[in-house]
Amino acid sequence: MTAALPIAGNRFIIVGGASLVGSATAAELLDAGAAEVVLFDNFSMGSEAAIAHLRDHPRLRLVRGDVRYLPDLLRAMEGCDGALLLAAYMTLNMDRDPWGGLDVNIRGVQHALEAVRVNGLKKVVFASSNAVYGYGPNVKGELVETTPFHSVGAPPAAVLYGATKIIGEQLCRDYRRRFGLDYVVLRYSTVYGERQHARAANALYIVETLERVRKGERPQVHGDGSETKHFVYVGDLARANRMAFEAEASDVAVNASGPRPVTTLELVRLVTRLAGSDLEPEFVGDTPGKVRLTSGGAFRIAHEEALRVIGWRPEVEMEEGLRRLIAWLDGNEAKAG
């Protein structure tokens, strides 16, 4: 029996669909001929703006519901063939409300998988994170799918977030073991792109730098600028989600990262240049208690296994992706004005 789930003619639900990744993936699936795409969201974190460009699509359906309430998911998944599980608290939200985060990231995944089982869906793609490798000074070098979890020196919210993603992956494995569920785990690196929201840690370095430079203020670099980030463009990630459904692969977890990592200093300089400025950055200390995009030392998140398993590799370089994001931000500001 094949684990491949073609997009054309099949129905998909995106749990946590009113989001950066959700909206991009919905467009990707619709373009590939999906019979219907259901966006399931409670809009506590998702936004109407993120899906505004899709709202009138004849094969898109929006369902308001909460992953913490199993009957919502049971109804929403009726007649669906595949499910992309995106709904989650990220690090900043986990810092503000750890109880809520644990409830959504663990119980919410349990509910989604149970609704998948009851409704007989054929395949799940679970959005995990490079947070499963942990944070702090020991996170360095090549991060591959077998790299262990590190937590020494990391803020509690970051560790909690990473731990919930590890648990989510294992819940998928458990449903595979007990019920034969076909699934692929994609461990996203830091996502950016059009319809980027400013509430997540991944947006802060980009959006804050752009806003400061546009006001004529020097951009800020926290620490010495050597900390590594590994971003992935949202369009590349949407393609990875599609290809994970289409692939024969099942019972696997692979990294979905961008072409190459970037230091925070390189990122700030790049955004400054794309904004048309030559302002020099100023180096500042971190604000005590403020959760930022914390990753640790120099590292690269290897994506070669994704090419082998689902045929995917990233295509959009950071400079091009940032150019698209800045153009989108500028376009939205013009509309608002």
Side-chain angles (χ1 to χ4, degrees):
M1 192 167 107
T2 178
L5 180 60
I7 306 303
N10 281 312
R11 299 178 67 220
F12 295 84
I13 183 169
I14 302 177
V15 179
S19 60
L20 175 67
V21 177
S23 62
T25 304
E28 180 81 16
L29 297 177
L30 290 167
D31 288 347
E36 183 179 49
V37 175
V38 178
L39 298 183
F40 179 94
D41 210 295
N42 70 354
F43 287 91
S44 64
M45 296 179 195
S47 80
E48 295 278 0
I51 58 172
H53 63 301
L54 297 170
R55 287 300 295 266
D56 296 329
H57 197 290
R59 288 180 282 120
L60 183 114
R61 183 160 59 94
L62 179 62
V63 175
R64 289 178 181 268
D66 196 311
V67 295
R68 292 170 292 190
Y69 189 58
L70 179 57
D72 284 358
L73 283 161
L74 288 168
R75 283 192 295 270
M77 288 194 189
E78 289 179 2
C80 290
D81 300 289
L84 171 62
L85 307 187
L86 290 175
Y89 273 43
M90 292 178 287
T91 303
L92 286 182
N93 305 99
M94 189 72 76
D95 184 57
R96 294 169 188 141
D97 179 15
W99 282 32
L102 293 172
D103 208 17
V104 168
N105 290 22
I106 298 174
R107 183 70 69 192
V109 175
Q110 287 181 304
H111 285 166
L113 291 172
E114 184 61 12
V116 164
R117 183 190 69 80
V118 170
N119 283 292
L121 274 68
K122 297 165 187 167
K123 195 168 189 179
V124 163
V125 175
F126 177 66
S128 187
S129 166
N130 63 260
V132 300
Y133 305 123
Y135 302 83
N138 291 321
V139 180
K140 54 191 174 183
E142 286 277 292
L143 302 187
V144 297
E145 284 75 5
T146 54
T147 299
F149 183 70
H150 296 281
S151 62
V152 175
V159 176
L160 284 172
Y161 172 66
T164 64
K165 286 301 182 181
I166 291 172
I167 292 170
E169 291 188 11
Q170 298 310 313
L171 287 170
C172 291
R173 289 186 67 201
D174 187 57
Y175 265 73
R176 168 75 177 186
R177 179 181 62 84
R178 292 198 289 154
F179 307 114
L181 175 68
D182 282 324
Y183 76 90
V184 171
V185 167
L186 294 180
R187 293 174 178 165
Y188 298 173
S189 63
T190 305
V191 191
Y192 75 102
E194 298 91 331
R195 289 174 290 282
Q196 178 78 66
H197 49 74
R199 70 177 167 79
N202 54 334
L204 289 177
Y205 284 101
I206 299 169
V207 176
E208 286 181 0
T209 297
L210 187 63
E211 288 176 348
R212 288 185 67 86
V213 169
R214 289 278 166 82
K215 290 188 289 189
E217 299 172 0
R218 291 173 64 190
Q220 293 183 334
V221 175
H222 293 260
D224 64 4
S226 65
E227 193 172 75
T228 305
K229 317 295 171 194
H230 203 149
F231 287 82
V232 61
Y233 177 65
V234 67
D236 277 341
L237 205 49
R239 193 166 45 83
N241 291 331
R242 170 180 59 79
M243 294 175 76
F245 282 118
E246 294 172 327
E248 294 279 355
S250 181
D251 197 20
V252 292
V254 296
N255 294 329
S257 58
R260 58 183 56 81
V262 62
T263 67
T264 54
L265 178 58
E266 289 170 336
L267 176 59
V268 167
R269 287 193 185 280
L270 182 54
V271 173
T272 301
R273 177 167 60 81
L274 290 173
S277 171
D278 58 1
L279 285 168
E280 280 296 311
E282 61 176 325
F283 294 84
V284 297
D286 278 322
T287 305
K290 183 172 183 180
V291 177
R292 298 192 65 89
L293 181 56
T294 323
S295 303
F299 67 91
R300 172 184 178 268
I301 302 170
H303 50 253
E304 285 74 17
E305 187 68 3
L307 178 61
R308 188 186 71 81
V309 172
I310 65 170
W312 176 87
R313 62 157 63 94
E315 294 176 352
V316 179
E317 294 287 345
M318 189 91 204
E319 181 167 347
E320 174 58 25
L322 286 173
R323 189 176 281 111
R324 295 180 192 181
L325 170 56
I326 291 169
W328 179 81
L329 289 168
D330 288 347
N332 272 285
E333 284 177 11
K335 288 177 191 172

